[in-house]
PDB file of all heavy atoms in Angstrom:
ATOM      1  N   HIS W 114     -67.580-126.179-145.236  1.00 98.00           N
ATOM      2  CA  HIS W 114     -67.505-125.134-144.228  1.00 98.00           C
ATOM      3  C   HIS W 114     -67.760-125.798-142.851  1.00 98.00           C
ATOM      4  O   HIS W 114     -67.972-127.029-142.801  1.00 98.00           O
ATOM      5  CB  HIS W 114     -68.385-123.960-144.604  1.00 98.00           C
ATOM      6  CG  HIS W 114     -69.867-124.353-144.664  1.00 98.00           C
ATOM      7  ND1 HIS W 114     -70.359-125.122-145.660  1.00 98.00           N
ATOM      8  CD2 HIS W 114     -70.941-123.975-143.835  1.00 98.00           C
ATOM      9  CE1 HIS W 114     -71.669-125.280-145.467  1.00 98.00           C
ATOM     10  NE2 HIS W 114     -72.055-124.616-144.413  1.00 98.00           N
ATOM     11  N   HIS W 116     -70.224-125.709-140.608  1.00 98.00           N
ATOM     12  CA  HIS W 116     -71.584-125.835-140.039  1.00 98.00           C
ATOM     13  C   HIS W 116     -71.901-127.350-139.719  1.00 98.00           C
ATOM     14  O   HIS W 116     -71.381-128.281-140.382  1.00 98.00           O
ATOM     15  CB  HIS W 116     -72.648-125.305-141.023  1.00 98.00           C
ATOM     16  CG  HIS W 116     -72.731-123.842-141.011  1.00 98.00           C
ATOM     17  ND1 HIS W 116     -73.319-123.107-142.024  1.00 98.00           N
ATOM     18  CD2 HIS W 116     -72.296-122.930-140.057  1.00 98.00           C
ATOM     19  CE1 HIS W 116     -73.291-121.835-141.689  1.00 98.00           C
ATOM     20  NE2 HIS W 116     -72.558-121.659-140.506  1.00 98.00           N
ATOM     21  N   PRO W 117     -72.704-127.563-138.609  1.00 97.00           N
ATOM     22  CA  PRO W 117     -73.007-128.976-138.228  1.00 97.00           C
ATOM     23  C   PRO W 117     -73.661-129.835-139.272  1.00 97.00           C
ATOM     24  O   PRO W 117     -73.551-131.029-139.198  1.00 97.00           O
ATOM     25  CB  PRO W 117     -73.971-128.726-137.008  1.00 97.00           C
ATOM     26  CG  PRO W 117     -73.780-127.278-136.632  1.00 97.00           C
ATOM     27  CD  PRO W 117     -73.337-126.572-137.803  1.00 97.00           C
ATOM     28  N   ASP W 118     -74.375-129.225-140.241  1.00 97.00           N
ATOM     29  CA  ASP W 118     -75.010-129.999-141.205  1.00 97.00           C
ATOM     30  C   ASP W 118     -73.994-130.567-142.292  1.00 97.00           C
ATOM     31  O   ASP W 118     -74.354-131.302-143.195  1.00 97.00           O
ATOM     32  CB  ASP W 118     -76.100-129.149-141.989  1.00 97.00           C
ATOM     33  CG  ASP W 118     -77.457-129.435-141.389  1.00 97.00           C
ATOM     34  OD1 ASP W 118     -77.604-130.189-140.470  1.00 97.00           O
ATOM     35  OD2 ASP W 118     -78.440-128.731-141.845  1.00 97.00           O
ATOM     36  N   GLN W 119     -72.711-130.147-142.194  1.00 98.00           N
ATOM     37  CA  GLN W 119     -71.699-130.612-143.128  1.00 98.00           C
ATOM     38  C   GLN W 119     -70.611-131.368-142.360  1.00 98.00           C
ATOM     39  O   GLN W 119     -69.985-132.199-143.002  1.00 98.00           O
ATOM     40  CB  GLN W 119     -71.030-129.319-143.758  1.00 98.00           C
ATOM     41  CG  GLN W 119     -71.833-128.771-144.928  1.00 98.00           C
ATOM     42  CD  GLN W 119     -73.038-128.070-144.493  1.00 98.00           C
ATOM     43  OE1 GLN W 119     -73.153-127.402-143.462  1.00 98.00           O
ATOM     44  NE2 GLN W 119     -74.087-128.174-145.336  1.00 98.00           N
ATOM     45  N   HIS W 189     -70.765-117.615-147.532  1.00 97.00           N
ATOM     46  CA  HIS W 189     -71.619-118.244-146.537  1.00 97.00           C
ATOM     47  C   HIS W 189     -70.866-118.205-145.155  1.00 97.00           C
ATOM     48  O   HIS W 189     -71.512-117.888-144.110  1.00 97.00           O
ATOM     49  CB  HIS W 189     -71.843-119.676-146.964  1.00 97.00           C
ATOM     50  CG  HIS W 189     -72.802-120.443-146.020  1.00 97.00           C
ATOM     51  ND1 HIS W 189     -74.088-120.068-145.849  1.00 97.00           N
ATOM     52  CD2 HIS W 189     -72.574-121.564-145.296  1.00 97.00           C
ATOM     53  CE1 HIS W 189     -74.659-120.945-144.943  1.00 97.00           C
ATOM     54  NE2 HIS W 189     -73.751-121.869-144.669  1.00 97.00           N
ATOM     55  N   THR W 190     -69.586-118.456-145.202  1.00 97.00           N
ATOM     56  CA  THR W 190     -68.710-118.290-144.018  1.00 97.00           C
ATOM     57  C   THR W 190     -67.389-117.806-144.565  1.00 97.00           C
ATOM     58  O   THR W 190     -67.220-117.666-145.807  1.00 97.00           O
ATOM     59  CB  THR W 190     -68.403-119.586-143.252  1.00 97.00           C
ATOM     60  OG1 THR W 190     -67.588-120.484-144.057  1.00 97.00           O
ATOM     61  CG2 THR W 190     -69.696-120.344-142.912  1.00 97.00           C
ATOM     62  N   ASP W 208     -72.769-124.668-149.111  1.00 98.00           N
ATOM     63  CA  ASP W 208     -73.830-123.612-148.913  1.00 98.00           C
ATOM     64  C   ASP W 208     -73.496-122.295-149.557  1.00 98.00           C
ATOM     65  O   ASP W 208     -74.238-121.337-149.350  1.00 98.00           O
ATOM     66  CB  ASP W 208     -74.042-123.412-147.399  1.00 98.00           C
ATOM     67  CG  ASP W 208     -74.964-124.537-146.810  1.00 98.00           C
ATOM     68  OD1 ASP W 208     -75.592-125.266-147.582  1.00 98.00           O
ATOM     69  OD2 ASP W 208     -75.011-124.636-145.543  1.00 98.00           O
ATOM     70  N   GLN W 217     -78.636-119.268-145.546  1.00 92.00           N
ATOM     71  CA  GLN W 217     -78.397-118.605-144.256  1.00 92.00           C
ATOM     72  C   GLN W 217     -77.186-117.696-144.404  1.00 92.00           C
ATOM     73  O   GLN W 217     -76.202-118.093-145.080  1.00 92.00           O
ATOM     74  CB  GLN W 217     -78.065-119.739-143.300  1.00 92.00           C
ATOM     75  CG  GLN W 217     -77.904-119.187-141.855  1.00 92.00           C
ATOM     76  CD  GLN W 217     -77.785-120.386-140.924  1.00 92.00           C
ATOM     77  OE1 GLN W 217     -76.999-121.268-141.240  1.00 92.00           O
ATOM     78  NE2 GLN W 217     -78.555-120.384-139.875  1.00 92.00           N
ATOM     79  N   ASP W 219     -74.534-116.338-142.469  1.00 95.00           N
ATOM     80  CA  ASP W 219     -73.876-116.513-141.165  1.00 95.00           C
ATOM     81  C   ASP W 219     -72.746-115.470-140.994  1.00 95.00           C
ATOM     82  O   ASP W 219     -71.555-115.711-141.213  1.00 95.00           O
ATOM     83  CB  ASP W 219     -73.259-117.912-141.065  1.00 95.00           C
ATOM     84  CG  ASP W 219     -72.603-118.143-139.665  1.00 95.00           C
ATOM     85  OD1 ASP W 219     -72.517-117.167-138.868  1.00 95.00           O
ATOM     86  OD2 ASP W 219     -72.112-119.244-139.419  1.00 95.00           O
ATOM     87  N   ARG W 250     -77.995-127.372-150.515  1.00 97.00           N
ATOM     88  CA  ARG W 250     -79.301-127.867-150.425  1.00 97.00           C
ATOM     89  C   ARG W 250     -80.052-127.833-151.669  1.00 97.00           C
ATOM     90  O   ARG W 250     -79.845-127.022-152.528  1.00 97.00           O
ATOM     91  CB  ARG W 250     -80.070-126.990-149.429  1.00 97.00           C
ATOM     92  CG  ARG W 250     -79.613-127.130-148.024  1.00 97.00           C
ATOM     93  CD  ARG W 250     -80.385-126.158-147.034  1.00 97.00           C
ATOM     94  NE  ARG W 250     -79.645-126.183-145.788  1.00 97.00           N
ATOM     95  CZ  ARG W 250     -79.725-127.143-144.911  1.00 97.00           C
ATOM     96  NH1 ARG W 250     -80.558-128.137-145.141  1.00 97.00           N
ATOM     97  NH2 ARG W 250     -79.039-127.153-143.833  1.00 97.00           N
TER      98      ARG W 250
HETATM   99 ZN1   ZN H   3     -73.907-123.814-143.849  1.00 74.42          ZN
END
Side-chain angles (χ1 to χ4, degrees):
H114 59 293
H116 284 161
D118 267 357
Q119 280 70 35
H189 185 61
T190 70
D208 282 342
Q217 188 172 45
D219 181 356
R250 286 175 192 284

